Amino acid sequence: MMDDGEATKRGGAEPSADLDRARAACEAILRHRPDDYHALNQIGLLALRSGALREARGRFEAAVAIRPEIASGHRQLALTLLRLGRPHAALERIDRALEHTPRDARSLALRGRILGRLDRIEEAAGCYSQALAAVPGHPAWRNSLGGLLVRLRRFGEALACFDEAVALGPDHAEAHTNRGLVLAALGRADEAVASHDRALVLRPDFPDAQVNRAVALLSLERFAEGWRDLEARKRRARPVGVSPPGSPLWRGQENLAGRSLLVLSEQGLGDTIQFCRYLPLLEARGARVLFGPQDSLVRLMASLDCSARLVDARAPDLSPDFHAPLMSLPLAFGTSPDVIPAPVPYLKPEPARVAEWKARLGGHGFRIGVAWQGSRAAADAGRSFPVAAFAVIAAIPGVRLISLQKGHGAEQLRSLPPGMAVEDPGEGFDAGGQAFLDTAAVIEVCDLVITSDTAVAHLSGALARPTWVVLQHAPDWRWMREREDSPWYPTMRLFRQTSIDDWPSAFDAVETALRDVLNRAPAPHIPVGWGEIIDKLTILEIKQDRIPGAEALANVRRELAAIEAIAVPPLRASPELAARKDQLAAVNRTLWNIEDALRDKEAGQAFDEEFIALARAVYRYNDERALIKQAINRLLGSDIVEEKSYGSDAPGPPAPDPDSTARGEEPHG
């Protein structure tokens, strides 16, 4: 969020020649009168305007030493010190200015800005309020106060502030985009988009507003527009996803067959875990993928099910044919809410660590891995909750809470509410330079993971483990709005606050859902043949494409993820098995179409020759289906083999060869 000091000044700039003449005149004065306050001050202002901050500081210090009673000199020196990254020194200097003019609005506003930089937010807001009491019609100060109120999570007051700012300064682009941010925080994403639109009309080349609009659009599932806007992150004052020199950006259209492509990680560890799913898609296009993850994720990324070569993206000798920032891949692949690549699991824990943690944790109780705290960054505001919020589920008999928290937030385990227990994995948990290796293993052992919006949520989802994420009222864009499932992670369920900062309501819903799970009969585990597993996989894939309704689709995706966790490894290892799976999928699609046609006939009471032919086709295709399943069982050496019977006297009809290419009877959908 931008304040008045961060906004770039536009218009009214004096010609360079005029500035040079003014500086020369002041220098001439100083040659005759080295202690001339006004000449020193003027040169300081000229240096500040040109960005020569060290010179400006020296000139202002000399000026205030000569005339310490002039408040404006202290104020200008305070501003210079702030821009030099010395907010504590700047605060001392602005307080000197206010000793001389305690009601000066400009000094009060600058003090508010300095205090905001020092994270003394309440005091900063008070200073801006005082400044605005003296000069109520200052839109930039009103904008800055709104930003502070957002940091205090006083969103209603912040919105009123931004409304006043844009009323006072309709062309104040920063106030319009900040207004959009607070509208998004209030859950009013459509209105947020309109505010960002207005900011971009006022200033078309305004990357902050474009990124802010991207976030609102993505939360509304308007992916095509959102991904395009998100590219503006590369042009911000602190850019991310910037293209390295030496290779062109891959935009999705260029042929990758036999070409090398360097994928660059960016932003947080959770972003890398979420978007590394695109690397196998690049390989499917024939690319030789080089991937430069964050150093701490190298070993975790080595488990990614593709042959991407992990590299140090900073190495000078890579020379790829193309490059792509990781979060530009959704745009390049045209990702939409209905076409999100979600073949979980796409990451795997280390088997030795899983065995170690299984032995250490034991199998008793219902084991829930928990995480509650993200980073200290401003972006985490509102996402985290105290570990004490888990007390309502810790009290459920048979439940064990196992901490997945690392670093900031783990200290809360030392001050749990009376009677609450959370198992601490100990100091050696994920010790060393590689992140999440033990976390992944513990997640694999647990029956469920419940977490705030942190990298742990992405890791658990990528491992295809049952995962519940407890979200703030208007969460990050990737969790979208209102829905309880996540198209990014089929095994995930989302729980949302009903109002801002209302964690108790969210955890009440978690408690109810958990009691429902615990009261159900345990999921049955019965031995089946491999043919049955692959058959079930193909049926669920068909359902995923054809079943309407968000709730039904979420159930299908959860079941599909559970089957994929078992079936995908052998399918990737065996081209012959993959071919059999394709045959089975074709038969099941045909059977699905036949069943649809039979239902239509029955609904119309049309029991004609076509109905009879369709009914007979069901038997024929089921026979073919059984033959393919038997072939799969033989291929994988399954101990359990399904057999079909046609009665004691009548042999079954001859079944077609499953290798036959006579699949042309599949109707057009």
Side-chain angles (χ1 to χ4, degrees), residues 268-270 273 296-297 299-301 347-350 353 404 406 429-443 454-457 459-460 463:
L269 302 183
I273 293 171
S296 62
L297 288 183
R299 275 185 60 179
L300 180 65
M301 291 297 114
L347 294 175
K348 296 183 288 293
E350 296 180 353
R353 287 181 190 263
L404 302 174
K406 180 72 175 173
F429 182 69
D430 274 330
Q434 292 299 301
F436 299 123
L437 300 181
D438 285 323
T439 303
V442 174
I443 286 172
T454 69
V456 169
L459 176 61
S460 188
L463 294 169

PDB file of all heavy atoms in Angstrom, residues 268-270 273 296-297 299-301 347-350 353 404 406 429-443 454-457 459-460 463:
ATOM      1  N   GLY A 268       7.494 -16.588  -2.542  1.00  0.00           N
ATOM      2  CA  GLY A 268       7.665 -17.407  -1.347  1.00  0.00           C
ATOM      3  C   GLY A 268       7.831 -18.886  -1.632  1.00  0.00           C
ATOM      4  O   GLY A 268       7.649 -19.362  -2.763  1.00  0.00           O
ATOM      5  N   LEU A 269       8.168 -19.631  -0.568  1.00  0.00           N
ATOM      6  CA  LEU A 269       8.333 -21.078  -0.709  1.00  0.00           C
ATOM      7  C   LEU A 269       7.013 -21.747  -1.074  1.00  0.00           C
ATOM      8  O   LEU A 269       6.984 -22.701  -1.856  1.00  0.00           O
ATOM      9  CB  LEU A 269       8.874 -21.664   0.596  1.00  0.00           C
ATOM     10  CG  LEU A 269      10.219 -21.115   1.100  1.00  0.00           C
ATOM     11  CD1 LEU A 269      10.645 -21.859   2.359  1.00  0.00           C
ATOM     12  CD2 LEU A 269      11.292 -21.190   0.035  1.00  0.00           C
ATOM     13  N   GLY A 270       5.907 -21.246  -0.513  1.00  0.00           N
ATOM     14  CA  GLY A 270       4.606 -21.802  -0.865  1.00  0.00           C
ATOM     15  C   GLY A 270       4.274 -21.628  -2.331  1.00  0.00           C
ATOM     16  O   GLY A 270       3.660 -22.509  -2.955  1.00  0.00           O
ATOM     17  N   ILE A 273       6.120 -24.318  -4.232  1.00  0.00           N
ATOM     18  CA  ILE A 273       5.469 -25.623  -4.051  1.00  0.00           C
ATOM     19  C   ILE A 273       4.184 -25.702  -4.874  1.00  0.00           C
ATOM     20  O   ILE A 273       3.892 -26.730  -5.496  1.00  0.00           O
ATOM     21  CB  ILE A 273       5.190 -25.871  -2.562  1.00  0.00           C
ATOM     22  CG1 ILE A 273       6.515 -26.032  -1.805  1.00  0.00           C
ATOM     23  CG2 ILE A 273       4.316 -27.106  -2.374  1.00  0.00           C
ATOM     24  CD1 ILE A 273       6.365 -26.055  -0.296  1.00  0.00           C
ATOM     25  N   SER A 296      16.770 -23.520  -0.289  1.00  0.00           N
ATOM     26  CA  SER A 296      16.253 -24.364   0.792  1.00  0.00           C
ATOM     27  C   SER A 296      15.251 -25.408   0.314  1.00  0.00           C
ATOM     28  O   SER A 296      14.855 -26.289   1.082  1.00  0.00           O
ATOM     29  CB  SER A 296      15.599 -23.491   1.869  1.00  0.00           C
ATOM     30  OG  SER A 296      14.498 -22.784   1.334  1.00  0.00           O
ATOM     31  N   LEU A 297      14.843 -25.342  -0.951  1.00  0.00           N
ATOM     32  CA  LEU A 297      13.849 -26.293  -1.462  1.00  0.00           C
ATOM     33  C   LEU A 297      14.439 -27.329  -2.411  1.00  0.00           C
ATOM     34  O   LEU A 297      13.700 -28.136  -2.980  1.00  0.00           O
ATOM     35  CB  LEU A 297      12.724 -25.547  -2.189  1.00  0.00           C
ATOM     36  CG  LEU A 297      11.743 -24.755  -1.329  1.00  0.00           C
ATOM     37  CD1 LEU A 297      10.657 -24.145  -2.207  1.00  0.00           C
ATOM     38  CD2 LEU A 297      11.108 -25.634  -0.252  1.00  0.00           C
ATOM     39  N   ARG A 299      16.152 -30.161  -2.142  1.00  0.00           N
ATOM     40  CA  ARG A 299      15.901 -31.600  -1.918  1.00  0.00           C
ATOM     41  C   ARG A 299      14.428 -31.938  -2.039  1.00  0.00           C
ATOM     42  O   ARG A 299      14.066 -32.994  -2.566  1.00  0.00           O
ATOM     43  CB  ARG A 299      16.436 -32.027  -0.551  1.00  0.00           C
ATOM     44  CG  ARG A 299      17.911 -32.364  -0.619  1.00  0.00           C
ATOM     45  CD  ARG A 299      18.485 -32.895   0.650  1.00  0.00           C
ATOM     46  NE  ARG A 299      17.892 -34.114   1.141  1.00  0.00           N
ATOM     47  CZ  ARG A 299      18.306 -34.718   2.258  1.00  0.00           C
ATOM     48  NH1 ARG A 299      19.308 -34.183   2.957  1.00  0.00           N
ATOM     49  NH2 ARG A 299      17.727 -35.824   2.676  1.00  0.00           N
ATOM     50  N   LEU A 300      13.566 -31.060  -1.588  1.00  0.00           N
ATOM     51  CA  LEU A 300      12.132 -31.318  -1.762  1.00  0.00           C
ATOM     52  C   LEU A 300      11.771 -31.344  -3.239  1.00  0.00           C
ATOM     53  O   LEU A 300      11.028 -32.215  -3.697  1.00  0.00           O
ATOM     54  CB  LEU A 300      11.308 -30.258  -1.033  1.00  0.00           C
ATOM     55  CG  LEU A 300       9.793 -30.411  -1.143  1.00  0.00           C
ATOM     56  CD1 LEU A 300       9.317 -31.683  -0.450  1.00  0.00           C
ATOM     57  CD2 LEU A 300       9.087 -29.193  -0.560  1.00  0.00           C
ATOM     58  N   MET A 301      12.305 -30.396  -4.016  1.00  0.00           N
ATOM     59  CA  MET A 301      11.994 -30.345  -5.441  1.00  0.00           C
ATOM     60  C   MET A 301      12.579 -31.532  -6.203  1.00  0.00           C
ATOM     61  O   MET A 301      12.087 -31.894  -7.272  1.00  0.00           O
ATOM     62  CB  MET A 301      12.526 -29.036  -6.044  1.00  0.00           C
ATOM     63  CG  MET A 301      11.793 -27.786  -5.593  1.00  0.00           C
ATOM     64  SD  MET A 301      10.044 -27.768  -6.093  1.00  0.00           S
ATOM     65  CE  MET A 301       9.239 -27.868  -4.500  1.00  0.00           C
ATOM     66  N   LEU A 347       4.617 -34.150  -5.378  1.00  0.00           N
ATOM     67  CA  LEU A 347       5.822 -34.206  -4.549  1.00  0.00           C
ATOM     68  C   LEU A 347       5.730 -35.426  -3.648  1.00  0.00           C
ATOM     69  O   LEU A 347       4.632 -35.918  -3.365  1.00  0.00           O
ATOM     70  CB  LEU A 347       5.959 -32.929  -3.707  1.00  0.00           C
ATOM     71  CG  LEU A 347       6.193 -31.623  -4.462  1.00  0.00           C
ATOM     72  CD1 LEU A 347       6.191 -30.452  -3.487  1.00  0.00           C
ATOM     73  CD2 LEU A 347       7.495 -31.653  -5.252  1.00  0.00           C
ATOM     74  N   LYS A 348       6.879 -35.909  -3.187  1.00  0.00           N
ATOM     75  CA  LYS A 348       6.891 -37.121  -2.359  1.00  0.00           C
ATOM     76  C   LYS A 348       7.829 -36.914  -1.172  1.00  0.00           C
ATOM     77  O   LYS A 348       8.882 -36.282  -1.312  1.00  0.00           O
ATOM     78  CB  LYS A 348       7.359 -38.330  -3.176  1.00  0.00           C
ATOM     79  CG  LYS A 348       6.432 -38.691  -4.334  1.00  0.00           C
ATOM     80  CD  LYS A 348       6.899 -39.930  -5.061  1.00  0.00           C
ATOM     81  CE  LYS A 348       8.148 -39.692  -5.894  1.00  0.00           C
ATOM     82  NZ  LYS A 348       7.923 -38.790  -7.027  1.00  0.00           N
ATOM     83  N   PRO A 349       7.475 -37.465  -0.008  1.00  0.00           N
ATOM     84  CA  PRO A 349       8.404 -37.435   1.126  1.00  0.00           C
ATOM     85  C   PRO A 349       9.500 -38.473   0.939  1.00  0.00           C
ATOM     86  O   PRO A 349       9.361 -39.424   0.157  1.00  0.00           O
ATOM     87  CB  PRO A 349       7.512 -37.777   2.314  1.00  0.00           C
ATOM     88  CG  PRO A 349       6.448 -38.650   1.720  1.00  0.00           C
ATOM     89  CD  PRO A 349       6.220 -38.156   0.319  1.00  0.00           C
ATOM     90  N   GLU A 350      10.588 -38.316   1.671  1.00  0.00           N
ATOM     91  CA  GLU A 350      11.671 -39.290   1.613  1.00  0.00           C
ATOM     92  C   GLU A 350      11.260 -40.527   2.419  1.00  0.00           C
ATOM     93  O   GLU A 350      10.922 -40.421   3.599  1.00  0.00           O
ATOM     94  CB  GLU A 350      12.955 -38.688   2.177  1.00  0.00           C
ATOM     95  CG  GLU A 350      13.460 -37.516   1.343  1.00  0.00           C
ATOM     96  CD  GLU A 350      14.741 -36.893   1.892  1.00  0.00           C
ATOM     97  OE1 GLU A 350      15.156 -37.301   3.021  1.00  0.00           O
ATOM     98  OE2 GLU A 350      15.313 -36.031   1.228  1.00  0.00           O
ATOM     99  N   ARG A 353      12.681 -41.073   5.969  1.00  0.00           N
ATOM    100  CA  ARG A 353      12.162 -40.143   6.978  1.00  0.00           C
ATOM    101  C   ARG A 353      10.735 -40.541   7.383  1.00  0.00           C
ATOM    102  O   ARG A 353      10.357 -40.408   8.553  1.00  0.00           O
ATOM    103  CB  ARG A 353      12.180 -38.710   6.452  1.00  0.00           C
ATOM    104  CG  ARG A 353      13.562 -38.105   6.384  1.00  0.00           C
ATOM    105  CD  ARG A 353      13.508 -36.675   5.867  1.00  0.00           C
ATOM    106  NE  ARG A 353      14.829 -36.171   5.580  1.00  0.00           N
ATOM    107  CZ  ARG A 353      15.551 -35.409   6.408  1.00  0.00           C
ATOM    108  NH1 ARG A 353      15.036 -35.043   7.561  1.00  0.00           N
ATOM    109  NH2 ARG A 353      16.746 -34.998   6.062  1.00  0.00           N
ATOM    110  N   LEU A 404       3.567 -28.862  13.291  1.00  0.00           N
ATOM    111  CA  LEU A 404       4.358 -28.737  12.069  1.00  0.00           C
ATOM    112  C   LEU A 404       4.994 -27.349  11.977  1.00  0.00           C
ATOM    113  O   LEU A 404       5.566 -26.995  10.953  1.00  0.00           O
ATOM    114  CB  LEU A 404       3.474 -28.972  10.843  1.00  0.00           C
ATOM    115  CG  LEU A 404       2.745 -30.308  10.766  1.00  0.00           C
ATOM    116  CD1 LEU A 404       1.787 -30.332   9.579  1.00  0.00           C
ATOM    117  CD2 LEU A 404       3.739 -31.469  10.674  1.00  0.00           C
ATOM    118  N   LYS A 406       7.462 -24.329  12.406  1.00  0.00           N
ATOM    119  CA  LYS A 406       8.914 -24.161  12.442  1.00  0.00           C
ATOM    120  C   LYS A 406       9.220 -22.684  12.506  1.00  0.00           C
ATOM    121  O   LYS A 406       8.658 -21.885  11.760  1.00  0.00           O
ATOM    122  CB  LYS A 406       9.529 -24.796  11.183  1.00  0.00           C
ATOM    123  CG  LYS A 406      11.041 -24.695  11.105  1.00  0.00           C
ATOM    124  CD  LYS A 406      11.727 -25.611  12.081  1.00  0.00           C
ATOM    125  CE  LYS A 406      13.240 -25.582  11.903  1.00  0.00           C
ATOM    126  NZ  LYS A 406      13.938 -26.350  12.946  1.00  0.00           N
ATOM    127  N   PHE A 429      13.793 -31.056  14.273  1.00  0.00           N
ATOM    128  CA  PHE A 429      12.762 -31.051  13.217  1.00  0.00           C
ATOM    129  C   PHE A 429      13.140 -30.058  12.125  1.00  0.00           C
ATOM    130  O   PHE A 429      13.267 -28.858  12.361  1.00  0.00           O
ATOM    131  CB  PHE A 429      11.424 -30.679  13.851  1.00  0.00           C
ATOM    132  CG  PHE A 429      10.260 -30.681  12.910  1.00  0.00           C
ATOM    133  CD1 PHE A 429       9.772 -31.853  12.379  1.00  0.00           C
ATOM    134  CD2 PHE A 429       9.626 -29.491  12.560  1.00  0.00           C
ATOM    135  CE1 PHE A 429       8.680 -31.866  11.524  1.00  0.00           C
ATOM    136  CE2 PHE A 429       8.533 -29.484  11.714  1.00  0.00           C
ATOM    137  CZ  PHE A 429       8.060 -30.676  11.187  1.00  0.00           C
ATOM    138  N   ASP A 430      13.340 -30.565  10.913  1.00  0.00           N
ATOM    139  CA  ASP A 430      13.736 -29.750   9.762  1.00  0.00           C
ATOM    140  C   ASP A 430      14.924 -28.849  10.083  1.00  0.00           C
ATOM    141  O   ASP A 430      14.995 -27.699   9.645  1.00  0.00           O
ATOM    142  CB  ASP A 430      12.558 -28.919   9.246  1.00  0.00           C
ATOM    143  CG  ASP A 430      11.711 -29.703   8.252  1.00  0.00           C
ATOM    144  OD1 ASP A 430      12.265 -30.568   7.553  1.00  0.00           O
ATOM    145  OD2 ASP A 430      10.497 -29.466   8.185  1.00  0.00           O
ATOM    146  N   ALA A 431      15.864 -29.370  10.866  1.00  0.00           N
ATOM    147  CA  ALA A 431      17.087 -28.625  11.122  1.00  0.00           C
ATOM    148  C   ALA A 431      17.976 -28.677   9.886  1.00  0.00           C
ATOM    149  O   ALA A 431      17.903 -29.605   9.083  1.00  0.00           O
ATOM    150  CB  ALA A 431      17.812 -29.221  12.326  1.00  0.00           C
ATOM    151  N   GLY A 432      18.801 -27.685   9.722  1.00  0.00           N
ATOM    152  CA  GLY A 432      19.675 -27.630   8.558  1.00  0.00           C
ATOM    153  C   GLY A 432      19.121 -26.717   7.492  1.00  0.00           C
ATOM    154  O   GLY A 432      18.101 -26.050   7.666  1.00  0.00           O
ATOM    155  N   GLY A 433      19.789 -26.701   6.363  1.00  0.00           N
ATOM    156  CA  GLY A 433      19.463 -25.726   5.328  1.00  0.00           C
ATOM    157  C   GLY A 433      18.335 -26.104   4.403  1.00  0.00           C
ATOM    158  O   GLY A 433      17.870 -25.280   3.614  1.00  0.00           O
ATOM    159  N   GLN A 434      17.871 -27.363   4.448  1.00  0.00           N
ATOM    160  CA  GLN A 434      16.814 -27.810   3.542  1.00  0.00           C
ATOM    161  C   GLN A 434      15.464 -27.821   4.261  1.00  0.00           C
ATOM    162  O   GLN A 434      15.325 -28.410   5.328  1.00  0.00           O
ATOM    163  CB  GLN A 434      17.144 -29.185   2.989  1.00  0.00           C
ATOM    164  CG  GLN A 434      18.332 -29.192   2.041  1.00  0.00           C
ATOM    165  CD  GLN A 434      18.091 -28.313   0.818  1.00  0.00           C
ATOM    166  OE1 GLN A 434      17.151 -28.518   0.055  1.00  0.00           O
ATOM    167  NE2 GLN A 434      18.943 -27.314   0.634  1.00  0.00           N
ATOM    168  N   ALA A 435      14.481 -27.174   3.660  1.00  0.00           N
ATOM    169  CA  ALA A 435      13.176 -26.972   4.296  1.00  0.00           C
ATOM    170  C   ALA A 435      12.221 -28.129   3.995  1.00  0.00           C
ATOM    171  O   ALA A 435      12.273 -28.720   2.910  1.00  0.00           O
ATOM    172  CB  ALA A 435      12.564 -25.656   3.822  1.00  0.00           C
ATOM    173  N   PHE A 436      11.367 -28.418   4.973  1.00  0.00           N
ATOM    174  CA  PHE A 436      10.168 -29.248   4.811  1.00  0.00           C
ATOM    175  C   PHE A 436      10.416 -30.735   4.615  1.00  0.00           C
ATOM    176  O   PHE A 436       9.484 -31.477   4.314  1.00  0.00           O
ATOM    177  CB  PHE A 436       9.310 -28.736   3.638  1.00  0.00           C
ATOM    178  CG  PHE A 436       8.810 -27.339   3.804  1.00  0.00           C
ATOM    179  CD1 PHE A 436       9.095 -26.377   2.857  1.00  0.00           C
ATOM    180  CD2 PHE A 436       8.082 -26.972   4.918  1.00  0.00           C
ATOM    181  CE1 PHE A 436       8.640 -25.081   3.003  1.00  0.00           C
ATOM    182  CE2 PHE A 436       7.627 -25.685   5.080  1.00  0.00           C
ATOM    183  CZ  PHE A 436       7.905 -24.732   4.120  1.00  0.00           C
ATOM    184  N   LEU A 437      11.647 -31.232   4.792  1.00  0.00           N
ATOM    185  CA  LEU A 437      11.878 -32.669   4.601  1.00  0.00           C
ATOM    186  C   LEU A 437      11.209 -33.467   5.713  1.00  0.00           C
ATOM    187  O   LEU A 437      10.512 -34.460   5.452  1.00  0.00           O
ATOM    188  CB  LEU A 437      13.375 -32.956   4.540  1.00  0.00           C
ATOM    189  CG  LEU A 437      14.134 -32.240   3.412  1.00  0.00           C
ATOM    190  CD1 LEU A 437      15.603 -32.622   3.444  1.00  0.00           C
ATOM    191  CD2 LEU A 437      13.530 -32.570   2.046  1.00  0.00           C
ATOM    192  N   ASP A 438      11.419 -33.047   6.968  1.00  0.00           N
ATOM    193  CA  ASP A 438      10.723 -33.706   8.072  1.00  0.00           C
ATOM    194  C   ASP A 438       9.235 -33.376   8.051  1.00  0.00           C
ATOM    195  O   ASP A 438       8.398 -34.232   8.367  1.00  0.00           O
ATOM    196  CB  ASP A 438      11.333 -33.278   9.408  1.00  0.00           C
ATOM    197  CG  ASP A 438      12.678 -33.938   9.676  1.00  0.00           C
ATOM    198  OD1 ASP A 438      12.836 -35.123   9.322  1.00  0.00           O
ATOM    199  OD2 ASP A 438      13.575 -33.270  10.211  1.00  0.00           O
ATOM    200  N   THR A 439       8.902 -32.139   7.683  1.00  0.00           N
ATOM    201  CA  THR A 439       7.483 -31.759   7.620  1.00  0.00           C
ATOM    202  C   THR A 439       6.729 -32.676   6.660  1.00  0.00           C
ATOM    203  O   THR A 439       5.637 -33.162   6.978  1.00  0.00           O
ATOM    204  CB  THR A 439       7.341 -30.298   7.169  1.00  0.00           C
ATOM    205  OG1 THR A 439       8.068 -29.458   8.060  1.00  0.00           O
ATOM    206  CG2 THR A 439       5.881 -29.876   7.164  1.00  0.00           C
ATOM    207  N   ALA A 440       7.310 -32.926   5.486  1.00  0.00           N
ATOM    208  CA  ALA A 440       6.646 -33.795   4.509  1.00  0.00           C
ATOM    209  C   ALA A 440       6.461 -35.200   5.068  1.00  0.00           C
ATOM    210  O   ALA A 440       5.411 -35.834   4.873  1.00  0.00           O
ATOM    211  CB  ALA A 440       7.451 -33.831   3.215  1.00  0.00           C
ATOM    212  N   ALA A 441       7.464 -35.701   5.789  1.00  0.00           N
ATOM    213  CA  ALA A 441       7.369 -37.050   6.341  1.00  0.00           C
ATOM    214  C   ALA A 441       6.301 -37.124   7.427  1.00  0.00           C
ATOM    215  O   ALA A 441       5.524 -38.087   7.480  1.00  0.00           O
ATOM    216  CB  ALA A 441       8.730 -37.468   6.896  1.00  0.00           C
ATOM    217  N   VAL A 442       6.250 -36.122   8.300  1.00  0.00           N
ATOM    218  CA  VAL A 442       5.236 -36.128   9.360  1.00  0.00           C
ATOM    219  C   VAL A 442       3.840 -36.003   8.752  1.00  0.00           C
ATOM    220  O   VAL A 442       2.892 -36.665   9.189  1.00  0.00           O
ATOM    221  CB  VAL A 442       5.511 -34.999  10.374  1.00  0.00           C
ATOM    222  CG1 VAL A 442       4.378 -34.916  11.393  1.00  0.00           C
ATOM    223  CG2 VAL A 442       6.828 -35.245  11.092  1.00  0.00           C
ATOM    224  N   ILE A 443       3.699 -35.142   7.734  1.00  0.00           N
ATOM    225  CA  ILE A 443       2.406 -35.016   7.057  1.00  0.00           C
ATOM    226  C   ILE A 443       1.968 -36.376   6.503  1.00  0.00           C
ATOM    227  O   ILE A 443       0.796 -36.753   6.593  1.00  0.00           O
ATOM    228  CB  ILE A 443       2.496 -33.968   5.936  1.00  0.00           C
ATOM    229  CG1 ILE A 443       2.547 -32.559   6.527  1.00  0.00           C
ATOM    230  CG2 ILE A 443       1.324 -34.090   4.960  1.00  0.00           C
ATOM    231  CD1 ILE A 443       2.831 -31.460   5.514  1.00  0.00           C
ATOM    232  N   THR A 454      -0.375 -21.117   4.914  1.00  0.00           N
ATOM    233  CA  THR A 454       1.084 -21.097   4.929  1.00  0.00           C
ATOM    234  C   THR A 454       1.596 -22.075   3.881  1.00  0.00           C
ATOM    235  O   THR A 454       0.830 -22.796   3.237  1.00  0.00           O
ATOM    236  CB  THR A 454       1.640 -21.528   6.298  1.00  0.00           C
ATOM    237  OG1 THR A 454       1.376 -22.925   6.473  1.00  0.00           O
ATOM    238  CG2 THR A 454       1.004 -20.756   7.443  1.00  0.00           C
ATOM    239  N   ALA A 455       2.925 -22.139   3.766  1.00  0.00           N
ATOM    240  CA  ALA A 455       3.531 -23.099   2.842  1.00  0.00           C
ATOM    241  C   ALA A 455       3.183 -24.527   3.223  1.00  0.00           C
ATOM    242  O   ALA A 455       3.142 -25.415   2.359  1.00  0.00           O
ATOM    243  CB  ALA A 455       5.046 -22.909   2.812  1.00  0.00           C
ATOM    244  N   VAL A 456       2.911 -24.781   4.512  1.00  0.00           N
ATOM    245  CA  VAL A 456       2.527 -26.131   4.945  1.00  0.00           C
ATOM    246  C   VAL A 456       1.251 -26.576   4.231  1.00  0.00           C
ATOM    247  O   VAL A 456       1.106 -27.746   3.852  1.00  0.00           O
ATOM    248  CB  VAL A 456       2.340 -26.172   6.475  1.00  0.00           C
ATOM    249  CG1 VAL A 456       1.689 -27.480   6.923  1.00  0.00           C
ATOM    250  CG2 VAL A 456       3.686 -26.002   7.175  1.00  0.00           C
ATOM    251  N   ALA A 457       0.308 -25.653   4.027  1.00  0.00           N
ATOM    252  CA  ALA A 457      -0.927 -25.989   3.312  1.00  0.00           C
ATOM    253  C   ALA A 457      -0.606 -26.465   1.893  1.00  0.00           C
ATOM    254  O   ALA A 457      -1.149 -27.482   1.420  1.00  0.00           O
ATOM    255  CB  ALA A 457      -1.856 -24.783   3.270  1.00  0.00           C
ATOM    256  N   LEU A 459       2.263 -27.670   0.775  1.00  0.00           N
ATOM    257  CA  LEU A 459       3.005 -28.926   0.819  1.00  0.00           C
ATOM    258  C   LEU A 459       2.065 -30.107   1.051  1.00  0.00           C
ATOM    259  O   LEU A 459       2.141 -31.125   0.358  1.00  0.00           O
ATOM    260  CB  LEU A 459       4.063 -28.859   1.922  1.00  0.00           C
ATOM    261  CG  LEU A 459       4.864 -30.135   2.156  1.00  0.00           C
ATOM    262  CD1 LEU A 459       5.629 -30.529   0.899  1.00  0.00           C
ATOM    263  CD2 LEU A 459       5.824 -29.955   3.331  1.00  0.00           C
ATOM    264  N   SER A 460       1.176 -29.989   2.010  1.00  0.00           N
ATOM    265  CA  SER A 460       0.247 -31.078   2.305  1.00  0.00           C
ATOM    266  C   SER A 460      -0.651 -31.364   1.108  1.00  0.00           C
ATOM    267  O   SER A 460      -0.926 -32.526   0.776  1.00  0.00           O
ATOM    268  CB  SER A 460      -0.583 -30.720   3.540  1.00  0.00           C
ATOM    269  OG  SER A 460      -1.359 -31.817   3.963  1.00  0.00           O
ATOM    270  N   LEU A 463       1.254 -33.201  -1.553  1.00  0.00           N
ATOM    271  CA  LEU A 463       1.471 -34.600  -1.174  1.00  0.00           C
ATOM    272  C   LEU A 463       0.178 -35.417  -1.235  1.00  0.00           C
ATOM    273  O   LEU A 463       0.181 -36.619  -0.951  1.00  0.00           O
ATOM    274  CB  LEU A 463       2.038 -34.677   0.244  1.00  0.00           C
ATOM    275  CG  LEU A 463       3.446 -34.096   0.453  1.00  0.00           C
ATOM    276  CD1 LEU A 463       3.760 -33.998   1.939  1.00  0.00           C
ATOM    277  CD2 LEU A 463       4.493 -34.936  -0.263  1.00  0.00           C
TER     278      LEU A 463
END
